[in-house]
Amino acid sequence: MKKTLSVLLLSLISAAAFASGEHKGAHASVAGKPGDPAKVSRTIAVTMDDTMRFTPSQISVKAGETIRFFVKNSGKIPHEMVIGTMSELKEHAEMMRKMPGMKHAEPNQTTLAPSQSGGIVWQFDKAGQVDFACLIPGHMEAGMIGKVTVN
Ligand SMILES: [Cu+2]
């Protein structure tokens, strides 16, 4: 029992170390951080639909801006918007493939049933590129990806 626990802890620690190392190496910028809803610079409306697209899929913001994404699922199946670096998104997508039906509510994402609306408040720190995607299995692979250019 004790041994199992320490093995589990070790693998968690190395996974975390791997994740943080990867960010430094592969990206000039990190995705940002959860924004303060009282300090929203502006709201951007994003629609998700069953053609596996975000509208708009290209968004420009300024470094330091806190954006409220007002997200609507206009499709007939669930969709989600998850903000992150491409490596974070791919890692998360892989986790969702292994654990289908996994429920999660993180500040960088909103998962929406058909016709539902939701929001994400996110602050973009540094100039560079931040990605977003729908990580429901198959959707990102079908092109459900968007890009935020931080100037
Ligand atoms: Cu989707």
Side-chain angles (χ1 to χ4, degrees), residues 39-58:
K39 291 176 183 162
V40 170
S41 316
R42 59 196 169 105
T43 297
I44 296 174
V46 176
T47 305
M48 309 187 288
D49 64 56
D50 295 346
T51 65
M52 305 297 172
R53 291 294 179 270
F54 290 99
T55 309
S57 61
Q58 307 273 337

Side-chain angles (χ1 to χ4, degrees), residues 48-49 52 54 77-80 134-136 139-140 144:
M48 309 187 288
D49 64 56
M52 305 297 172
F54 290 99
I77 58 172
H79 290 291
E80 64 184 15
C134 175
L135 300 186
I136 291 172
H139 292 208
M140 181 164 77
M144 204 161 177

